[in-house]
Amino acid sequence: MAKKLLAMSVIVSGLGLVITVGTRAAHSAAALNGFNDWNALVNTDQPQTLAARTFHVSHEMTINDVRQARLVLLEGIDNAILRLIKSEPKAMMDEPRGMFDTTHIAQLLKTDQLDEAIVELDKLQAKVIKVFDQEAADKEVVPQIQNLIASLKQE
């Protein structure tokens, strides 16, 4: 049971192309039988219309965008540590107050001192594990620290 197809829309690399079956002059419909009918398809777009189309270029990140993204990830780490402190306040009883201050790490990230920031993030991770134990730290904080470290290593 063969069906005749007069026109169809195809998306190719973001372009919407109208392709008709048959010759461009006659626009006659040829039967498409399935598996190997590609030779029956003809592109009806004129080369001029394809060349005249404009393409939307996605926003490329600037260095300031990258720095801001780093700081957002660091803020997520800060928030995860605060949630952990609230959920296990007894663990912080004998610890100094600014133990998990990430101001220095933020400054390193702002000034693109990524290797030093990675070292400090490793130290922060070790402190979190020491204070809250591995299991509690692994629930939220460690994955976020590892995520930021991995993104810094890629830069």
Side-chain angles (χ1 to χ4, degrees):
M1 184 166 141
K3 293 184 180 179
K4 293 189 178 207
L5 181 65
L6 296 174
M8 64 183 212
S9 293
V10 178
I11 303 291
V12 179
S13 298
L15 293 176
L17 300 177
V18 176
I19 299 176
T20 59
V21 178
T23 63
R24 191 181 301 172
H27 290 291
S28 63
L32 295 180
N33 298 318
F35 177 68
N36 198 12
D37 292 338
W38 293 106
N39 291 332
L41 299 176
V42 177
N43 183 353
T44 61
D45 269 352
Q46 300 299 322
Q48 302 88 343
T49 59
L50 285 174
R53 290 187 183 167
T54 58
F55 297 98
H56 174 70
V57 177
S58 63
H59 172 71
E60 288 191 34
M61 291 183 72
T62 65
I63 188 62
N64 289 333
D65 294 334
V66 172
R67 288 181 185 130
Q68 187 60 38
R70 293 176 194 153
L71 295 174
V72 168
L73 290 174
L74 184 61
E75 185 178 338
I77 293 168
D78 285 337
N79 291 335
I81 291 171
L82 289 174
R83 285 191 301 273
L84 194 54
I85 290 170
K86 286 180 182 177
S87 70
E88 298 189 29
K90 291 180 181 176
M92 290 296 296
M93 295 295 257
D94 299 328
E95 302 300 331
R97 249 201 151 148
M99 181 177 196
F100 299 115
D101 184 24
T102 58
T103 307
H104 179 63
I105 298 172
Q107 191 58 37
L108 292 172
L109 294 175
K110 288 177 188 176
T111 57
D112 298 326
Q113 298 176 51
L114 305 184
D115 291 332
E116 293 88 347
I118 290 170
V119 169
E120 293 300 318
L121 286 165
D122 282 332
K123 289 179 186 176
L124 177 64
Q125 178 175 312
K127 283 188 229 176
V128 170
I129 292 170
K130 180 183 174 203
V131 171
F132 296 104
D133 78 53
Q134 185 76 45
E135 185 180 344
D138 280 347
K139 286 183 183 174
E140 257 189 277
V141 180
V142 171
Q144 289 191 31
I145 292 174
Q146 289 300 314
N147 184 36
L148 180 51
I149 290 172
S151 70
L152 295 176
K153 286 181 178 178
Q154 289 178 350
E155 292 183 30

